[in-house]
Amino acid sequence: MPELRKERLDRGVKVRAESIYAISSMKEIMFLIGPGLVLVILLLILPVSLPSFWQRIMALTGVYVLLSIGFGFLASYVGLVSLGGALFVGMGGYISGLLNSVGVPMFLSIPVATIAGALICTLVLLPVLPLRGVYFAIVSFVYPLFAARLIAALGIFGGTDGIAGLDVMPNVYVLLYVMVAVVIVVMFGMSRLVNYEDLGLVLRGVKDNEQAIKASGLNLTWYKAQAVFIAAAMGCFGGAYLTHLYGWVGMSLFATDFSILPLAATVVGGTGTIYGPVIGAMLLVPISEALRPFGTLRIVFYAVILVFFVVFFSEGILDYLKRKYEQFEHWVRV
Amino acid sequence: MTNDDIILRVDNLEKAFGGVKAVDKVSFDLKKGGVLGVIGPNGSGKTTLINLITGFIAKDGGKVFFKDKDISKWQPHKIADFGLARTFQVMRPYATLAAYKNIIPPLYSPRAKRTAKGKLGDRSAVAVDILEEVGFERDARVPYKQAGTLPLGYLKRLELCRCLALDPELIICDEVFSGLSMSEIASMVPLMERLHSAGITLVMVEHRLRELFQITDRAIVLSFGEKIADGSSQEIFENERVKQAYFGGEDSYVTSE
Ligand SMILES: Nc1ncnc2c1ncn2[C@@H]1O[C@H](COP(=O)(O)OP(=O)(O)O)[C@@H](O)[C@H]1O
Ligand SMILES: [Mg+2]
């Protein structure tokens, strides 16, 4: 009779040092790429398997996933707390909408809005980048409020009505797969940047070891600006995408939800990784939409969920799942 | 002596914290290729002086000239970029990362790119080479160990490596010998001599006089932020003010170990 014994899933795979793996078999490779693969497959089959109400929510969730990756990236890897989600979304949305309204096709206006929008966002945030503390959070939060008032008061860019009649994606599958493709590229790209690229290492120093970075002849503000540009580009793409989801651009793109939810998603999903905020956003946005029938009461549910996570589950979902996954025990023959 | 012999000139630097004069009108100059010791008891303003020269804290008064340029108002990264590197007395490496990764950021800098250190292909390989130069044993895989687990001697070398990656013309070292064992110091002295003979100008802030005077014969002495002596080891040991301020009247500290 064969003997059985319990073995952890990560046994022999993870050597002591952080993020150095000794890979020796197919099984071990599967252990490492398995979770990512599951996420990618999920993203690929969701668009064709969701009912149409949820398809639209998936599109919106994608925008929040991008914003949350940006928030988590700035908070965990650069040391900047950004509440600029609404600024990024509004900027990208309006640039793409305005371009589209004068005849620029959306397949051009979206990329232009992504790059130009991120550039403008970075420039307007530049004055607060050298400052330490809460200034960045405050200023990034206030700009969109200011922009919305300005648009309403001056009646520019369509005023309170916004600009309607813009291009929309040809069908819901194009809409969703564009987002899925962008999310996959951004997710793996960002994960690579923070873990393996030299720039990621510099940014980590910007967060944890300002003095060494300065003494290394590196301009702190310049690297913060690059990081803000990256996060802003993701948000601006999200805004431009929303414009062509609705075929309309208006002041609601400056809504504070875009600034706050990424923070909540990062708390729920877990800080210190790129995937934590992704998982957080993929949970929170659908929950928030499902609670919509409760009207303003949903804010209460929302607050309860947040407090629950902060108090009882501060490691975040991702770390919890990761731990369970790596320690998962199964029977093996010896 | 012509003016272009002078690489660093410090002119009446001043800094007060609250009521305490941490650096009080300190002036000196240093020839290209020279080695200057800066000594003084704890709290005499040595680290503050370095911070003022390298732009890490704002000056209350005074000027700094490096390679004939007035760098008094420059930001730290620009000063480093111009070839004036420094180490920190309190080291804070990327503790959880491999030691060599600490050298990647300076190799990523504009200066390293200009001086070719950063573009000799793979930065990781260049980083390991630099670590090896200062005495990290490649075979023992020390460059790949987590920086947080390294003994103090290696951490001090790591600080020097961060400077060397910039290919600097002048390095200001903040107490590279302090806290080290005798054998660690014994291996550090030749390293500093090697840097000197490679043409790098050095400012050595030190507590350890005997080791310091193996490397240089000129030092300035600080006491309560003031420069009280400037000269050869002989002149300094014979200076009455130095004896009082630094050795508390008796010179046993210098000779005993
Ligand atoms: N950031 C600071 N804030 C207030 N006082 C300081 C600060 N840095 C140094 N000091 C004071 O300035 C004096 C000189 O300190 P320091 O330059 O560190 O001396 P040393 O390096 O010679 O030991 C000390 O009295 C110290 O307490
Ligand atoms: Mg000191």
Side-chain angles (χ1 to χ4, degrees):
Chain A
M1 200 177 84
E3 254 188 88
L4 289 174
R5 86 174 143 79
K6 271 192 166 178
E7 190 178 286
R8 270 172 58 155
L9 208 52
D10 66 350
R11 200 184 116 93
V13 178
K14 226 178 158 181
V15 295
R16 244 188 337 169
E18 183 196 15
S19 72
I20 299 174
Y21 295 97
I23 303 168
S24 59
S25 72
M26 196 60 206
K27 191 179 121 201
E28 293 178 351
I29 292 174
M30 278 316 294
F31 166 80
L32 291 179
I33 66 167
L37 211 58
V38 169
L39 188 59
V40 168
I41 291 171
L42 183 74
L43 287 174
L44 287 174
I45 59 174
L46 271 177
V48 286
S49 50
L50 286 174
S52 66
F53 170 75
W54 286 99
Q55 282 176 327
R56 264 185 116 69
I57 291 177
M58 181 176 174
L60 184 65
T61 306
V63 173
Y64 277 110
V65 164
L66 293 176
L67 289 172
S68 303
I69 292 176
F71 176 92
F73 165 62
L74 290 181
S76 302
Y77 297 97
V78 194
L80 290 170
V81 176
S82 158
L83 295 177
L87 171 66
F88 305 155
V89 167
M91 186 69 75
Y94 267 95
I95 292 178
S96 192
L98 287 168
L99 286 175
N100 191 231
S101 71
V102 297
V104 179
M106 109 187 133
F107 292 106
L108 204 60
S109 72
I110 293 179
V112 169
T114 304
I115 302 299
L119 209 57
I120 297 171
C121 290
T122 311
L123 284 177
V124 298
L125 288 169
L126 207 53
V128 281
L129 285 184
L131 307 177
R132 250 177 288 175
V134 295
Y135 300 101
F136 184 73
I138 294 174
V139 170
S140 60
F141 188 72
V142 166
Y143 270 126
L145 305 178
F146 177 73
R149 299 295 180 284
L150 203 66
I151 289 170
L154 299 181
I156 47 173
F157 307 150
T160 44
D161 297 334
I163 307 168
L166 303 173
D167 288 355
V168 291
M169 298 277 180
N171 63 56
V172 73
Y173 299 110
V174 174
L175 178 78
L176 289 181
Y177 280 111
V178 163
M179 181 51 88
V180 166
V182 169
V183 164
I184 289 176
V185 168
V186 166
M187 210 164 55
F188 292 119
M190 292 305 287
S191 178
R192 191 187 156 79
L193 170 70
V194 298
N195 290 312
Y196 301 107
E197 296 289 332
D198 292 345
L199 177 60
L201 210 55
V202 171
L203 292 177
R204 230 193 257 211
V206 168
K207 173 172 182 260
D208 297 326
N209 204 347
E210 220 172 82
Q211 291 213 321
I213 292 299
K214 288 179 183 169
S216 299
L218 295 160
N219 184 344
L220 214 57
T221 306
W222 167 239
Y223 291 96
K224 284 184 185 170
Q226 290 187 27
V228 168
F229 177 85
I230 292 171
M234 296 189 265
C236 287
F237 171 82
Y241 178 85
L242 282 181
T243 293
H244 302 287
L245 167 68
Y246 303 130
W248 170 85
V249 63
M251 278 158 46
S252 63
L253 287 187
F254 285 116
T256 33
D257 293 23
F258 294 118
S259 301
I260 302 297
L261 193 131
L263 185 153
T266 305
V267 168
V268 169
T271 52
T273 62
I274 293 297
Y275 300 103
V278 173
I279 292 176
M282 285 173 73
L283 282 176
L284 283 186
V285 179
I287 290 176
S288 154
E289 290 302 315
L291 290 176
R292 221 170 251 287
F294 295 96
T296 44
L297 207 56
R298 81 191 169 115
I299 304 293
V300 176
F301 288 116
Y302 212 71
V304 169
I305 294 175
L306 256 191
V307 171
F308 169 81
F309 271 95
V310 171
V311 176
F312 298 106
F313 215 64
S314 57
E315 65 178 337
I317 292 175
L318 184 74
D319 277 355
Y320 175 79
L321 291 179
K322 186 162 174 260
R323 198 154 45 78
K324 288 291 167 205
Y325 173 67
E326 286 173 355
Q327 298 174 352
F328 182 78
E329 289 185 327
H330 57 121
W331 292 102
V332 289
R333 281 160 197 264
V334 277
Chain B
M1 181 166 61
T2 64
N3 205 32
D4 27 80
D5 267 359
I6 303 288
I7 189 166
L8 179 71
R9 189 155 70 82
V10 169
D11 184 17
N12 275 309
L13 275 188
E14 273 185 277
K15 180 73 188 180
F17 293 111
V20 185
K21 281 245 176 205
V23 170
D24 193 1
K25 294 209 163 57
V26 171
S27 307
F28 64 85
D29 47 35
L30 178 57
K31 274 201 238 172
K32 194 166 167 47
V35 182
L36 173 74
V38 177
I39 56 183
N42 263 330
S44 57
K46 304 183 295 295
T47 299
T48 307
L49 180 64
I50 297 180
N51 284 336
L52 290 174
I53 294 172
T54 52
F56 276 82
I57 56 178
K59 300 158 189 67
D60 291 347
K63 282 194 184 321
V64 180
F65 297 88
F66 178 59
K67 294 193 283 176
D68 286 330
K69 275 238 160 56
D70 183 354
I71 61 165
S72 310
K73 299 220 156 59
W74 289 18
Q75 292 193 324
H77 68 86
K78 205 177 157 200
I79 293 176
D81 190 67
F82 195 45
L84 201 171
R86 65 164 297 179
T87 71
F88 290 97
Q89 187 176 0
V90 180
M91 296 148 294
R92 290 203 292 122
Y94 292 86
T96 58
L97 295 182
Y100 79 88
K101 294 218 170 185
N102 283 271
I103 313 304
I104 304 277
L107 287 175
Y108 195 82
S109 68
R111 181 174 174 91
K113 279 173 192 155
R114 277 201 310 276
T115 61
K117 280 241 158 94
K119 64 178 181 215
L120 294 172
D122 185 17
R123 284 191 199 95
S124 302
V126 179
V128 174
D129 287 344
I130 294 176
L131 289 179
E132 205 181 7
E133 267 173 51
V134 305
F136 275 62
E137 300 88 350
R138 195 179 214 134
D139 301 337
R141 301 192 61 78
V142 186
Y144 304 95
K145 296 211 167 107
Q146 279 192 19
T149 66
L150 294 176
L152 195 61
Y154 281 115
L155 290 180
K156 301 256 177 187
R157 281 158 208 263
L158 201 54
E159 275 288 297
L160 274 177
C161 288
R162 193 175 40 64
C163 298
L164 292 177
L166 293 174
D167 212 353
E169 286 157 76
L170 192 159
I171 305 180
I172 305 185
C173 305
D174 200 350
E175 304 205 12
V176 279
F177 295 140
S178 70
L180 296 188
S181 70
M182 288 316 290
S183 66
E184 280 173 325
I185 291 174
S187 66
M188 197 67 121
V189 170
L191 172 61
M192 301 312 297
E193 279 168 343
R194 200 143 49 82
L195 297 183
H196 176 215
S197 56
I200 300 175
T201 311
L202 295 171
V203 174
M204 307 266 310
V205 168
E206 273 314 326
H207 226 84
R208 298 271 192 169
L209 300 192
R210 183 192 279 179
E211 287 76 16
L212 180 66
F213 285 121
Q214 283 179 23
I215 302 169
T216 177
D217 196 48
R218 180 188 163 211
I220 64 173
V221 185
L222 296 184
S223 170
F224 295 106
E226 239 186 303
K227 186 174 100 170
I228 56 170
D230 185 341
S232 68
S233 53
Q234 192 82 33
E235 287 168 308
I236 281 169
F237 289 137
E238 283 165 8
N239 185 309
E240 281 306 316
R241 287 187 75 187
V242 175
K243 275 188 194 161
Q244 268 190 357
Y246 196 77
F247 313 117
E250 35 140 345
D251 57 5
S252 58
Y253 187 94
V254 192
T255 43
S256 77
E257 206 48 78

